[in-house]
């Protein structure tokens, strides 16, 4: 079974803080993704990576950056957290051409 | 502009009956479609997929139908069970951007005992 692990289930941070969300997958997948899920909006893609050190912007990259130094790890960075970044964040991984497998999510609150 | 639409935010079905969840898309370049199920406090779980060369794919109680001319797909669950109660998302991707999935907004299914 594919295992995608997100480092925190719940996180509370303050406005202006730099926030790191970590994701690790154990299936040697090439692709990794970060989404946010908001009520009524489904899942929206923030960034994805198709190889180590490679990244591409998704649909809503503003205010975020990512890092992929190792194949199994993909980090999402909120450079200066704002209240409108309060959301559920989901990490996923996939083989090329295969379905994406998701972690259990990090519920992030920015106060 | 939503490229993948799930127009029913919720659906309630009696246990043992059929659940039909619908999804419409606008981008004719989409050629790979997926359904995910999501329980509260968990990540989405992949259920079933279909490529555009097929019009039906079946896996146990789950069947996905694709009508390319109508740009419509549906997920049938037969028979429905209370454990199927969850939010269901459809998603689509295009071969030229196969890394990216576009998700619908989800349909909450409640299966009543």
């Amino acid at each position: 079974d594919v295992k995608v692990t997100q480092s925190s289930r719940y996180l509370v941070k303050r406005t202006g803080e730099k926030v790191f969300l970590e994701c690790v997958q154990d299936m040697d997948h090439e692709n990794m993704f970060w989404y946010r899920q908001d009520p009524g909006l489904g899942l929206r893609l923030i960034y994805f990576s198709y190889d180590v050190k490679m990244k591409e912007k998704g649909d809503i990259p503003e205010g975020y950056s990512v890092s992929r130094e190792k194949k199994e790890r993909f980090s999402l960075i909120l450079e200066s957290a704002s209240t409108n970044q309060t959301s559920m964040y989901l990490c996923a991984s996939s083989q090329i051409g295969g379905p994406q497998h998701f972690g259990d999510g990090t519920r992030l609150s920015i106060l | 502009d939503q490229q993948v639409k799930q127009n029913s935010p919720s659906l309630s079905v009696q246990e043992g009956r059929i659940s039909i969840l619908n999804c419409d898309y606008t981008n004719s370049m989409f050629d790979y479609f997926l359904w995910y199920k999501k329980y509260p406090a968990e990540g989405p779980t992949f259920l079933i997929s279909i490529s555009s060369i097929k019009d039906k794919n079946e896996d146990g109680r789950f069947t996905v139908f694709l009508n390319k001319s109508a740009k419509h797909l549906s997920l049938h669950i037969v028979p429905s069970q209370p454990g199927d109660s969850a939010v269901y998302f459809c998603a689509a991707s295009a071969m030229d951007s196969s890394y990216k999935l576009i998700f619908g907004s989800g349909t909450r299914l409640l299966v009543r005992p």
Side-chain angles (χ1 to χ4, degrees), chain B residues 13-45:
Chain B
V13 171
Q14 193 75 35
E15 180 179 5
R17 306 293 288 267
I18 184 171
S19 295
I20 300 176
L21 297 106
N22 294 303
C23 182
D24 297 298
Y25 62 96
T26 57
N27 188 340
S28 57
M29 299 301 291
F30 288 150
D31 55 8
Y32 183 52
F33 304 88
L34 307 90
W35 284 94
Y36 286 83
K37 176 171 73 173
K38 186 179 185 302
Y39 293 119
E42 293 183 13
T45 301

Side-chain angles (χ1 to χ4, degrees), chain A residues 39-57:
Chain A
L41 296 177
L43 279 73
R44 293 180 294 163
L45 182 64
I46 304 171
Y47 266 98
F48 67 99
S49 167
Y50 50 90
D51 202 352
V52 174
K53 296 191 187 293
M54 306 302 287
K55 60 186 179 185
E56 284 199 26
K57 294 179 180 179

Side-chain angles (χ1 to χ4, degrees), chain A residues 4-9 21-24 34 89-92 102-106:
Chain A
V4 179
T5 303
Q6 295 184 229
S7 54
S8 304
R9 294 299 303 272
L21 302 183
E22 306 288 343
C23 175
V24 177
W34 275 106
Y89 289 88
L90 291 157
C91 174
F102 286 82
D104 282 337
T106 296

Side-chain angles (χ1 to χ4, degrees), chain A residues 40-85:
Chain A
L41 296 177
L43 279 73
R44 293 180 294 163
L45 182 64
I46 304 171
Y47 266 98
F48 67 99
S49 167
Y50 50 90
D51 202 352
V52 174
K53 296 191 187 293
M54 306 302 287
K55 60 186 179 185
E56 284 199 26
K57 294 179 180 179
D59 299 317
I60 51 164
E62 297 79 17
Y64 303 95
S65 63
V66 290
S67 172
R68 193 167 181 199
E69 297 296 319
K70 294 185 178 181
K71 191 174 185 179
E72 68 271 17
R73 186 178 297 269
F74 192 34
S75 302
L76 178 70
I77 303 154
L78 285 66
E79 297 291 344
S80 177
S82 63
T83 54
N84 64 11
Q85 292 178 309

Side-chain angles (χ1 to χ4, degrees), chain A residues 85-111:
Chain A
Q85 292 178 309
T86 291
S87 187
M88 169 70 84
Y89 289 88
L90 291 157
C91 174
S93 73
S94 75
Q95 293 178 320
I96 295 172
Q100 293 179 24
H101 299 270
F102 286 82
D104 282 337
T106 296
R107 185 164 292 283
L108 175 65
S109 296
I110 307 296
L111 305 179

